[in-house]
Amino acid sequence: MPPKVPRTEYSPQFLWELLNAVTGSRITAESSQTERETAGNRFVKEWDYGMFWSILTHSQVLEECRTKMGHAEYASEGSDRCDEVECPFEDPDDVLALDPWAVYGERNHATLVEEYNDHYATLRQRYPDTVNMTGIYVSLMSGLIEILAGT
C-alpha cells in the first residue's frame, strides 16, 4: 500500500481559473498551446497526481460519418462550446446500410503501435512523476453512440 492515496483528475487543465489559482499563471482562451501546456504541467505537479489519464484516439477517427449534437460549455470561457448539429442519416435504412470498413477504412497496425508508443513516451517525459497511459476511447458502445447519437 502506498503511503498516500494516489490522485488523478480528468480535465482541470481546461478550467483556467483553477489552473491560474494553483499555478499563479494567467491562462486565458487567447493563451498559446505552449502556455496552456506549461501551466497544465505545473498544475499536475502541484496537485501531486499519481496517474495522468490520457488517450490518443477519440472521436476524430469517426469524422467521415458521425452525428453531431452540439456540446455544452465545460471549459473556461466556453472554449469547448459547439452549436453544430448534423446527422448523416436520413432514416433507419441509412444506418443499416453503413459499412464502417468502407467509410472509416483500415488503420495500419505498425503505424498505430508507433503512434501509441510515441504518445506514451511524450506523456512520460511531460509527467515523469505519474503513472501514464495512452489508448483509445472509441469502444464498440461509445463509437456507436458517437456515430448515431453524437456528443
Side-chain angles (χ1 to χ4, degrees):
M1 199 60 153
K4 65 178 182 174
V5 175
R7 172 191 195 115
T8 192
E9 300 287 341
Y10 297 96
S11 56
Q13 65 270 27
F14 303 112
L15 303 173
W16 297 317
E17 288 181 25
L18 174 62
L19 194 108
N20 291 336
V22 171
T23 66
S25 58
R26 295 182 182 194
I27 302 301
T28 67
E30 289 77 36
S31 298
S32 71
Q33 181 68 28
T34 301
E35 291 170 320
R36 289 192 300 264
E37 282 181 12
T38 299
N41 294 352
R42 287 197 346 247
F43 182 88
V44 168
K45 185 83 168 160
E46 289 290 323
W47 271 26
D48 195 21
Y49 280 31
M51 181 186 96
F52 188 81
W53 185 88
S54 180
I55 49 101
L56 177 62
T57 305
H58 202 281
S59 60
Q60 77 271 22
V61 297
L62 303 173
E63 282 302 315
E64 292 298 321
C65 180
R66 67 183 272 247
T67 299
K68 296 180 181 174
M69 299 299 288
H71 188 280
E73 293 178 18
Y74 173 77
S76 294
E77 301 176 37
S79 63
D80 59 334
R81 181 181 177 89
C82 176
D83 294 319
E84 187 176 354
V85 176
E86 67 180 55
C87 180
F89 308 105
E90 296 287 327
D91 57 45
D93 288 332
D94 287 346
V95 174
L96 295 173
L98 177 67
D99 180 351
W101 198 257
V103 172
Y104 304 112
E106 182 178 0
R107 302 282 313 269
N108 179 283
H109 181 265
T111 301
L112 289 171
V113 170
E114 182 179 349
E115 289 172 353
Y116 288 113
N117 284 338
D118 288 348
H119 183 238
Y120 179 69
T122 297
L123 292 171
R124 286 190 60 202
Q125 183 178 14
R126 190 177 293 161
Y127 308 109
D129 300 323
T130 69
V131 172
N132 292 285
M133 59 171 285
T134 187
I136 185 168
Y137 198 68
V138 182
S139 68
L140 178 60
M141 284 305 298
S142 67
L144 286 173
I145 290 169
E146 192 76 32
I147 293 167
L148 300 174
T151 55

